[in-house]
């Protein structure tokens, strides 16, 4: 069965950095586009970043452009998100999700919490 | 930027039908999806391509999309359907866009 397991979240000071990981299993990882989505406490879902199956095409939300970098290692079935210059507005649960051609996400991980303190 | 608007909350009695709307400019020209999120859990896709149900999703969940409005309908709502529901669509400028979310209460 498809599994997505995020890790790497934690408490970080404003201006700091973190690297989030997402370990995928149960499907051919290299065949799928992958996405990061976040949810601030008590708020709605916000798409963050998207990477093509081979990693050659990357997109970012305007709110994170220039600070976040998405990458993947298909040999390790892993997705990554490097997040820099963190502010309190980046405090959220970060989910990785598998993107499908119908322009949505059919599987989500359990999420990893990033808390930015001042 | 493209925006999707949902009512903040709706309520339904057990066994009754409830519909949740999602409004966006010419949304009917796009694929709409719906994600269910129960407290403390990750979202689950319940409708994709506006009307399609993934395997394992009960047939009491249905979707429609026309004009500027997509609708998720739960027919014969059950206590287990109490959750937040977010619509989502893809836009060529904003890419993936989520709606504002609707809390469904079954009481």
């Amino acid at each position: 069965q498809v599994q997505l397991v995020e890790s790497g979240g934690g408490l970080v000071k404003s201006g700091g950095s973190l690297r989030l990981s997402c370990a995928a299993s149960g499907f051919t990882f290299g065949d799928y586009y992958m996405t990061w989505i976040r949810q601030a406490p008590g708020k709605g879902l916000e798409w963050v970043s998207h990477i093509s199956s081979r990693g050659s095409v990357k997109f970012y939300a305007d709110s994170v452009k220039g600070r976040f970098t998405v990458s993947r290692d298909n040999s390790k079935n892993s997705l990554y998100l490097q997040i820099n210059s963190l502010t309190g507005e980046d405090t959220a649960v970060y989910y990785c999700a598998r993107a499908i051609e119908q322009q949505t996400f059919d599987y989500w991980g359990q999420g990893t919490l990033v808390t930015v303190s001042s | 930027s493209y925006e999707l608007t949902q009512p903040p909350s709706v309520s339904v009695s057990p066994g009754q039908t409830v519909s949740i709307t999602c409004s966006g400019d010419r949304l009917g020209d796009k694929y709409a999806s719906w994600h269910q999120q129960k407290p403390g859990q990750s979202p689950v896709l319940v409708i994709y391509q506006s009307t399609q149900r993934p395997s394992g999703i009960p047939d009491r969940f249905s979707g429609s999309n026309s004009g500027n409005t997509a609708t998720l309908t739960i027919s014969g709502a059950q206590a287990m359907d109490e959750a937040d529901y977010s619509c989502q669509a893809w836009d060529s400028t904003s890419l993936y866009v989520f709606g504002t979310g609707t809390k469904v209460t079954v009481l």
Side-chain angles (χ1 to χ4, degrees), chain A residues 24-61:
Chain A
S25 60
F27 66 103
T28 304
F29 181 70
D31 285 350
Y32 287 85
Y33 282 48
M34 296 295 295
T35 298
W36 287 98
I37 295 158
R38 68 183 180 182
Q39 186 171 36
K43 301 296 185 182
L45 299 165
E46 178 190 16
W47 169 77
V48 170
S49 182
H50 185 78
I51 186 169
S52 62
S53 56
R54 296 188 178 185
S56 57
V57 178
K58 304 175 184 181
F59 294 107
Y60 300 93

Side-chain angles (χ1 to χ4, degrees), chain A residues 71-88:
Chain A
S71 61
R72 64 190 296 163
D73 186 337
N74 288 348
S75 69
K76 295 182 178 179
N77 291 339
S78 292
L79 174 72
Y80 306 102
L81 187 68
Q82 177 68 40
I83 51 180
N84 299 329
S85 304
L86 285 159
T87 73

Side-chain angles (χ1 to χ4, degrees), chain A residues 39 50 102-104 109-110, chain B residues 33 35 37 42 49 88 96:
Chain A
Q39 186 171 36
H50 185 78
Q102 290 85 0
Q103 301 169 345
T104 189
Q110 88 288 350
Chain B
S33 302
H35 302 267
Q37 187 176 25
S42 305
Q49 205 168 313
Q88 176 258 313
Y96 294 100

Side-chain angles (χ1 to χ4, degrees), chain B residues 41-64:
Chain B
Q41 297 186 19
S42 305
V44 172
L45 178 68
V46 295
I47 292 289
Y48 68 97
Q49 205 168 313
S50 300
T51 61
Q52 304 301 302
R53 274 180 293 106
S55 60
I57 300 301
D59 60 6
R60 64 179 179 274
F61 290 89
S62 62
S64 64

